[in-house]
Amino acid sequence: VTKSVSDFDVLTYTDVHIGMDTDSKNNSMYPIDWSLKGIMDSYYQMIDRVIKNKSCDTIVIDELGDFLDGFNALTVRGGHTLPQLMTNEEAFDTALKFKIKMIDELQVHYKNIIVNNICNDNHAGSFGYFVNSALKNFCDRVFDDVTVNNYRKFLNHYAIGKVCFVITHGKDDVTLKYGFKPQLDSKGLEKIDQYCKQNGLYRKYEIIVFKKGDSHQCLFDMCTSDDFYYFNYPALSPSSQWVQNNFKKGRRGFVLESWKGNNFSFNPVFI
């Protein structure tokens, strides 16, 4: 809990799916490049917008899982083969470069950086944890003003002042057949409510924000529950060919937020 900070910026991004091949058979309807070049082009768009929208000296960076697409071309549970554009080694190097470069650039502009990484998801799994653990070890040794938190549970929370954020990918690595839906249903509401009660969040905080990725959709629900906000964040990556064919192309991007005490504004940015 950070009690001394009341004003802070937030960058939330999720589902980068590094290593994914969006056009493995050269017949995709929407063949977007997701090689190292495509990934870094999206990175530069994101980091430039963060710097231009800086409103205070503290930034929180929430990465909500599925940062890498798979290990040995498989999902975490191993039963779903994935078309891959990179080897494991290339994906690791790209992922670590992405994260270290972000810290290098933002620490010039912010006095305090707090990084929260979800390491329990259905695509990256332990592979994502390896990258985030390497990032944490690097930052702990190089920077005094950067804190990296790697969360390995399905549901997690942190707080700044009187605002509490409950963060998750939306699916986990082993147990869940169906995760949290884009639109909050009674089952999801009850699960979040139980988590908040178990951890005493309602008594401690004035605002509770539930944040998830996974669905690759940008939906902000402040009405279904009277006790917490339910926020879905868009994927940074383009849609895979499977998603394109089964659903649609979709919109990708990231979200910037500016918190002034308990008041906030948010700005979804689409690429």
Side-chain angles (χ1 to χ4, degrees):
V1 177
T2 304
K3 294 183 179 179
S4 59
V5 175
S6 61
D7 297 352
F8 54 98
D9 293 339
V10 183
L11 164 64
T12 306
Y13 69 99
T14 185
D15 294 89
V16 184
H17 287 277
I18 290 173
M20 173 179 64
D21 189 346
T22 61
D23 190 22
S24 60
K25 296 182 180 179
N26 297 315
N27 63 350
S28 173
M29 291 188 292
Y30 313 107
I32 297 174
D33 173 36
W34 206 233
S35 64
L36 173 61
K37 180 183 182 303
I39 292 168
M40 295 313 295
D41 283 348
S42 294
Y43 163 83
Y44 285 118
Q45 291 185 56
M46 183 168 71
I47 213 70
D48 287 347
R49 188 64 70 92
V50 171
I51 293 169
K52 288 177 181 176
N53 284 269
K54 176 179 181 264
S55 69
C56 59
D57 290 329
T58 297
I59 185 169
V60 178
I61 303 170
D62 286 345
E63 185 262 294
L64 300 180
D66 278 6
F67 187 59
L68 295 108
D69 192 52
F71 186 77
N72 288 337
L74 295 169
T75 57
V76 172
R77 301 176 196 184
H80 181 187
T81 304
L82 304 163
Q84 300 288 271
L85 195 63
M86 300 178 182
T87 64
N88 293 335
E89 294 78 9
E90 290 169 340
F92 180 90
D93 289 344
T94 300
L96 192 57
K97 175 182 177 179
F98 184 106
K99 293 216 164 189
I100 290 179
K101 190 171 182 60
M102 180 180 295
I103 301 301
D104 275 340
E105 297 200 21
L106 290 182
Q107 63 89 26
V108 176
H109 300 274
Y110 287 92
K111 292 182 180 179
N112 299 295
I113 299 176
I114 302 167
V115 183
N116 299 305
N117 299 310
I118 292 295
C119 303
N120 190 328
D121 52 33
N122 57 312
H123 273 261
S126 296
F127 199 15
Y129 178 78
F130 298 159
V131 172
N132 290 321
S133 182
L135 174 73
K136 178 174 174 60
N137 276 273
F138 171 79
C139 290
D140 286 350
R141 285 163 172 75
V142 175
F143 301 114
D144 294 327
D145 55 354
V146 178
T147 302
V148 178
N149 303 305
N150 294 328
Y151 294 98
R152 300 181 64 191
K153 294 181 180 180
F154 174 51
L155 294 179
N156 315 267
H157 69 275
Y158 68 91
I160 301 180
K162 286 294 186 178
V163 183
C164 181
F165 299 91
V166 180
I167 57 175
T168 181
H169 175 60
K171 291 194 184 84
D172 76 337
D173 53 356
V174 175
T175 60
L176 286 173
K177 185 175 183 180
Y178 303 107
F180 285 103
K181 296 179 180 178
Q183 295 179 319
L184 182 60
D185 60 8
S186 58
K187 182 179 179 181
L189 192 152
E190 182 180 13
K191 188 176 295 184
I192 298 167
D193 181 63
Q194 288 176 346
Y195 180 87
C196 292
K197 289 176 179 175
Q198 179 69 28
N199 290 279
L201 304 187
Y202 293 139
R203 297 193 306 271
K204 297 176 185 176
Y205 306 109
E206 295 174 3
I207 297 177
I208 297 173
V209 182
F210 180 85
K211 304 178 64 171
K212 65 174 284 289
D214 180 54
S215 302
H216 293 221
Q217 296 183 49
C218 186
L219 293 168
F220 301 104
D221 180 354
M222 292 175 276
C223 299
T224 302
S225 170
D226 293 333
D227 300 307
F228 56 84
Y229 300 152
Y230 187 80
F231 288 177
N232 293 263
Y233 289 83
L236 187 67
S237 69
S239 299
S240 66
Q241 188 168 6
W242 183 88
V243 170
Q244 291 174 21
N245 291 349
N246 280 278
F247 300 99
K248 59 179 183 176
K249 179 183 177 182
R251 304 174 75 182
R252 65 189 188 96
F254 53 93
V255 177
L256 305 177
E257 298 167 33
S258 176
W259 285 81
K260 307 294 183 185
N262 289 2
N263 299 312
F264 74 100
S265 61
F266 55 91
N267 178 23
V269 181
F270 296 108
I271 298 176

